């Protein structure tokens, strides 16, 4: 069975352990202290947090809290780290080794949507980090990389999903590594982007609210865009014949402002609620039924240093820690 990576703080729904976390974006000049964020996470039962890149103040703030942390190797460091194991070791000794006894490090994400572009560097850095994890007996820490929609050259119909030909060879090597280590591929899924910029997609289909089948792909039926995107990734992975590799959703969500009626707190709450209910159901997707799914909702706060528009508006909480809408954790 396609795996789920268990954690003590999992939310049990029926017979399925659902691992739901929050992305903690730091591109804001008005964000509360890490200790305040820890208090917020405890209050709202947020048991897993993902940072784009490590931040020592944040890691220290979460130290000893039993809240899982995930963070990534910065994209701009990948080319040098791919050819210099000393740099990998220095990064590891700064952000990982000192914290393994009193922090639960869930994922180390080697590249944030660095594919395509930096895909030559991902696997060498993964292998170097895995050697260090093995040497320090940190087997519970999983390596992955985050890929976005642009990693796929074909997405429609989902069964035709295929990776961009320019990255296929590197993706095959990465997937073989992930399978061998029992790690998932981390995927970024934003149905909002496809709804607003892709055209001819109904709101209900994008927010996982539609009950009726709107798309058929052979024997498979789809009533939401999320499953379509995910199954396109699964189809692309299946084409590489590397065996079963799970998918974890490194970021998903819906903005609550920034684009008029398409971005409201009501719609953001609806999407996040439906996403949680969907992954809690244990149904999986039409292509991969009955799989366990885990994911991170973006974001804990709005980030005022992001580019203007909806990219600033994925936060679930105001910077004073009051909810923008009812959180789903």
């Amino acid at each position: 069975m396609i795996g789920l990576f268990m954690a003590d703080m999992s939310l049990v729904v029926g017979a399925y352990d659902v691992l739901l976390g929050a992305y903690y974006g730091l591109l804001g000049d008005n964000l509360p202290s890490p200790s305040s964020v820890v208090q917020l996470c405890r209050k709202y039962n947020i048991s897993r947090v993902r940072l784009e890149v490590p931040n020592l103040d944040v890691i220290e703030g979460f130290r000893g809290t039993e809240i899982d942390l995930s963070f990534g190797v910065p994209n701009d460091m990948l080319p040098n780290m791919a050819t210099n194991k000393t740099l990998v070791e220095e990064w590891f000794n700064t952000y990982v080794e000192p914290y393994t006894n009193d922090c639960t490090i869930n994922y180390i994400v080697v590249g944030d949507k660095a594919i395509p572009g930096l895909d030559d560097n991902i696997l060498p850095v993964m292998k170097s980090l895995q050697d260090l994890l093995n040497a320090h007996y940190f087997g519970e820490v999983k390596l992955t990389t985050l890929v976005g929609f642009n990693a796929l050259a074909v997405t429609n119909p989902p069964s035709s999903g295929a990776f961009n030909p320019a990255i296929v060879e590197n993706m095959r090597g990465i997937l073989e590594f992930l399978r061998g280590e029992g790690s998932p591929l981390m995927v970024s899924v934003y149905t909002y982007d496809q709804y607003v910029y892709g055209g001819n997609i109904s709101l209900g289909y994008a927010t996982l609210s539609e009950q009726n089948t709107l798309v058929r792909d052979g024997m498979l039926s789809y009533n939401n865009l999320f499953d379509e995107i995910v199954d396109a990734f699964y189809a692309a992975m299946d084409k590489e014949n590397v065996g079963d590799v799970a998918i974890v959703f490194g970021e998903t969500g819906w903005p609550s402002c920034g684009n008029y009626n398409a971005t409201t707190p009501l719609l953001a709450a609806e999407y996040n609620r439906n996403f949680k209910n969907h992954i809690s159901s244990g149904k999986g997707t039409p292509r991969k039924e009955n799989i366990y799914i885990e994911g991170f909702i973006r974001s804990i706060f709005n980030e005022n240093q992001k580019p203007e528009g909806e990219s600033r508006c994925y936060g679930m909480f105001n910077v004073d820690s009051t909810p923008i809408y009812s959180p789903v954790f």
Side-chain angles (χ1 to χ4, degrees), residues 50 80 107 125 128 170 194 202 220 255 260 272 282 318 320 325:
R50 186 178 81 84
N80 288 334
Y107 293 113
V125 176
S128 295
N170 285 326
Q194 301 305 311
S202 72
L220 304 180
Y260 306 104
N272 289 344
N318 297 300
D320 65 359
Y325 51 84

Side-chain angles (χ1 to χ4, degrees), residues 59-306:
I59 297 174
E60 287 288 348
F62 278 78
R63 197 170 196 162
T65 64
E66 296 185 345
I67 298 172
D68 293 2
L69 280 180
S70 297
F71 48 78
V73 177
N75 289 352
D76 60 3
M77 294 183 67
L78 291 172
N80 288 334
M81 290 175 72
T83 57
N84 189 335
K85 291 187 177 182
T86 299
L87 291 179
V88 179
E89 188 167 3
E90 290 174 355
W91 186 91
F92 180 89
N93 289 339
T94 300
Y95 298 110
V96 181
E97 194 277 333
Y99 300 100
T100 52
N101 289 330
D102 45 14
C103 282
T104 302
I105 300 175
N106 188 208
Y107 293 113
I108 296 175
V109 185
V110 183
D112 188 304
K113 295 185 284 292
I115 303 171
L118 296 172
D119 40 295
D120 287 342
N121 304 287
I122 304 296
L123 188 56
V125 176
M126 281 183 165
K127 289 180 176 179
S128 295
L129 282 171
Q130 190 65 56
D131 288 343
L132 291 168
L133 291 171
N134 294 343
H136 289 80
Y137 302 101
F138 298 154
E140 71 278 5
V141 181
K142 297 296 181 181
L143 299 177
T144 186
T145 188
L146 178 69
V147 296
F149 194 67
N150 65 340
L152 298 176
V154 182
T155 61
N156 188 32
S159 60
S160 298
F163 289 116
N164 184 325
I167 68 170
V168 164
E169 184 176 351
N170 285 326
M171 280 303 306
R172 187 180 301 117
I174 290 167
L175 292 170
E176 288 174 345
F177 173 87
L178 295 177
R179 178 187 53 77
E181 297 298 333
S183 296
L185 178 68
M186 189 170 277
V187 173
S188 169
V189 178
Y190 288 107
T191 61
Y192 167 79
D193 290 343
Q194 301 305 311
Y195 167 68
V196 172
Y197 303 110
N200 200 31
I201 296 169
S202 72
L203 182 61
Y205 196 69
T207 58
L208 290 83
S209 300
E210 179 62 56
Q211 299 300 313
N212 299 315
T213 295
L214 297 188
V215 171
R216 293 193 182 277
D217 180 7
M219 299 294 293
L220 304 180
S221 301
Y222 292 85
N223 64 5
N224 69 81
L225 181 58
F226 180 87
D227 281 349
E228 266 204 74
I229 295 172
V230 174
D231 276 359
F233 273 102
Y234 272 125
M237 292 162 63
D238 288 345
K239 287 180 174 62
E240 301 312 312
N241 296 313
V242 298
D244 283 341
V245 177
I247 285 177
V248 58
F249 302 102
E251 55 185 19
T252 191
W254 196 282
S256 65
C257 61
N259 190 13
Y260 306 104
N261 292 336
T263 53
T264 67
L266 185 64
L267 284 175
E270 180 180 10
Y271 177 85
N272 289 344
R273 181 178 63 252
N274 289 341
F275 170 70
K276 177 190 173 182
N277 290 340
H278 186 50
I279 68 172
S280 301
S281 71
K283 293 179 181 178
T285 68
R287 185 180 182 91
K288 299 285 185 178
E289 294 181 326
N290 303 317
I291 58 170
Y292 296 116
I293 299 176
E294 57 178 300
F296 296 86
I297 293 177
R298 176 182 167 202
S299 177
I300 297 180
F301 304 108
N302 288 335
E303 299 171 81
N304 65 7
Q305 292 178 322
K306 286 273 193 178

Side-chain angles (χ1 to χ4, degrees), residues 23-24 26 49-55 58-59 69-72:
Y23 175 88
Y24 181 5
L26 298 176
V49 166
R50 186 178 81 84
L51 308 170
E52 182 173 336
V53 296
N55 177 289
V58 173
I59 297 174
L69 280 180
S70 297
F71 48 78

